[in-house]
Amino acid sequence: MLAKRALITGITGQDGSYLAEHLLSEGYEVWGLVRGQANPRVSRLRRLLGDVRLARGDLLDQGSLISAVERVRPDEVYNLGAISFVPMSWEQAELTAEVTGMGVLRMLEAIRVISGASSTIRFYQASSSEMFGQVRETPQTERTPFHPRSPYGVAKAYGHFLTQNYRESYGMFAVSGILFNHESPRRGAEFVTRKVSLGVARIKLGLAAELRLGNLEARRDWGFAGDYVRAMHLMLSADKPEDYVIGTGRTQSVRELVEAAFGAAGLNWQDYVIADQSLHRPAEVDLLCADPKKARTQLGWEATMPFEELISLMVESDLRLLTDGGDPDQDSSWP
Ligand code: NAP
Ligand code: F7E
């Protein structure tokens, strides 16, 4: 039997790498869409996953997506590509709308144009708990109304509704996973968990004396990225196309994250952390907490890694990385 073929946008990101690993282990032929003349993150991916094939393309460029779908002829498309760092979405709101929002339209159109109205290509959209924003209820479910608080959240809401609309308009197997924060040693250094794990490692090794952070009171539902990519695959393997909330069902504050991370290295966070008002956001999402019941009952999916274990894993990984002389900004040494 021929192997199933998957096309992943955003393959050079955190989730793209874990998803590629997972799909390869399931026997898929995995293709990644990569942009730019010489994307430096591709070499990292090559070292990690020699078996991934690459197609050039950009979510800003409709023709390139049509060509990629025509060339790869995928059974499944996972749209993970995005401007994903929330603060950047205020600085470059238009770019965020184009990549994170309109990019979804371009990818869906590429599928529709190449495979027609009766497309059998299954489509996964990386929706986000940021769409809940100023939450209307806790925990958040598939039925909780959206109130996004950043240009990123607004762009994701557009992509979410568009995916639903293509399902209803064209009968496409198009689904959204509403994923809550998920982290790993491969997380970008700008996100708070990795900023903290790297900060702790630098302090522990005598490479830094302090760590400046923004809002310590914000609460998030943090899980392990490796678990969350399994959920993406399960959604596209289901009998019916449906959207799912994916999270742990627990919530911690940034303050608790900091306490756990410094504690994992035997340090007291209060000796090193400086709360910096200039790092606060124009509009904050104060509290996120998933109700993943639908995913548990219909997909059999569950988060496996407790918060403290995840944070310890990240701190240990960054201690090893820096001890070995690795440079997290060069993306040179993914575990
Ligand atoms: P990430 O590490 O920031 O990766 C983003 C990816 O998007 C990178 O591979 C980047 O590729 C690609 N990209 C950026 N601009 C592009 C463009 N114009 N065309 C094509 N690709 C482009 O993000 P992640 O954490 O893996 O998240 C994956 C997806 O899930 C994102 O859509 C994110 O918004 C969403 N999400 C993430 C979380 C989370 O907690 N991680 C939660 C909910 C939803 P380059 O190498 O070319 O820059
Ligand atoms: O912030 C607070 C900050 O940048 C988490 C993306 O993957 O998850 C991610 O978005 C919280 C916020 O992630 C710092 O104010 C305090 O309340 O790690 P973050 P995020 O904004 O929740 C969602 C689900 C996505 O979809 C996104 O793509 O931490 N915080 N001090 C800080 N955050 C950062 N980055 N840096 C600080 O110094």
Side-chain angles (χ1 to χ4, degrees):
M1 205 172 73
L2 278 178
K4 274 194 186 169
R5 213 170 287 159
L7 174 62
I8 302 173
T9 75
I11 194 149
T12 56
Q14 170 189 257
D15 290 8
S17 73
Y18 282 108
L19 179 62
E21 279 177 322
H22 179 64
L23 294 178
L24 286 170
S25 77
E26 294 281 322
Y28 277 68
E29 181 180 317
V30 177
W31 287 75
L33 187 86
V34 293
R35 68 183 174 127
Q37 261 180 244
N39 185 330
R41 292 161 120 190
V42 170
S43 56
R44 171 178 75 181
L45 191 75
R46 279 235 179 273
R47 267 196 301 279
L48 191 71
L49 305 158
D51 294 334
V52 173
R53 301 177 194 200
L54 302 178
R56 210 182 289 280
D58 194 308
L59 287 166
L60 296 172
D61 184 333
Q62 180 71 77
S64 74
L65 300 181
I66 292 174
S67 300
V69 173
E70 192 169 29
R71 176 173 172 209
V72 176
R73 295 275 166 187
D75 299 291
E76 298 174 5
V77 172
Y78 294 86
N79 186 38
L80 311 186
I83 302 292
S84 77
F85 187 43
V86 173
M88 184 172 160
S89 76
W90 278 285
E91 290 163 11
Q92 298 186 36
E94 190 177 338
L95 182 68
T96 304
E98 284 291 340
V99 179
T100 306
M102 288 292 286
V104 186
L105 174 65
R106 294 190 190 100
M107 197 68 236
L108 284 165
E109 276 296 286
I111 294 170
R112 195 180 66 82
V113 166
I114 292 300
S115 59
S118 58
S119 171
T120 56
I121 299 176
R122 295 188 168 204
F123 176 81
Y124 172 85
Q125 168 57 18
S127 284
S128 165
S129 53
E130 279 292 300
M131 299 185 306
F132 296 126
Q134 190 160 300
V135 297
R136 306 277 178 88
E137 60 182 0
T138 297
Q140 293 85 48
T141 75
E142 291 78 6
R143 292 171 306 285
T144 302
F146 298 156
H147 182 151
R149 294 272 282 170
S150 63
Y152 169 81
V154 173
K156 280 290 179 187
Y158 171 77
H160 182 86
F161 285 125
L162 195 75
T163 301
Q164 190 177 314
N165 180 259
Y166 270 56
R167 180 165 79 218
E168 293 173 3
S169 303
Y170 302 114
M172 283 172 65
F173 195 111
V175 305
S176 293
I178 306 176
L179 270 53
F180 283 62
N181 299 52
H182 45 280
E183 319 293 317
S184 74
R186 298 180 196 169
R187 185 60 143 149
E190 64 274 34
F191 299 95
V192 75
T193 53
R194 187 78 196 287
K195 182 174 172 182
V196 169
S197 65
L198 276 166
V200 168
R202 288 195 180 103
I203 290 168
K204 183 76 180 174
L205 297 173
L207 303 171
E210 62 178 42
L211 177 61
R212 301 187 91 83
L213 293 171
N215 181 8
L216 299 180
E217 307 314 324
R219 301 185 73 86
R220 291 290 184 276
D221 179 330
W222 279 295
F224 172 55
D227 283 340
Y228 289 51
V229 301
R230 281 193 294 108
M232 298 174 190
H233 180 226
L234 285 170
M235 278 180 233
L236 286 202
S237 307
D239 292 337
K240 283 194 298 186
E242 291 188 35
D243 303 331
Y244 293 87
V245 156
I246 302 294
T248 70
R250 289 178 298 277
T251 181
Q252 273 90 17
S253 65
V254 174
R255 186 184 296 274
E256 287 165 329
L257 154 69
V258 163
E259 201 173 347
F262 278 86
L267 300 170
N268 178 5
W269 70 276
Q270 278 149 323
D271 296 337
Y272 304 100
V273 171
I274 295 172
D276 185 339
Q277 195 66 33
S278 73
L279 295 174
H280 283 232
R281 298 175 179 188
E284 178 62 282
V285 172
D286 295 320
L287 164 70
L288 290 173
C289 183
D291 177 352
K293 190 161 89 208
K294 181 179 174 189
R296 189 169 59 243
T297 51
Q298 294 194 24
L299 299 176
W301 180 87
E302 265 186 297
T304 63
M305 197 179 290
F307 174 72
E308 288 75 15
E309 190 181 327
L310 171 64
I311 300 308
S312 294
L313 175 85
M314 291 178 70
V315 170
E316 282 161 24
S317 168
D318 281 329
L319 277 167
R320 263 196 314 277
L321 174 70
L322 297 183
T323 304
D324 294 346
D327 178 355
D329 295 326
Q330 294 298 321
D331 286 338
S332 57
S333 38
W334 266 3

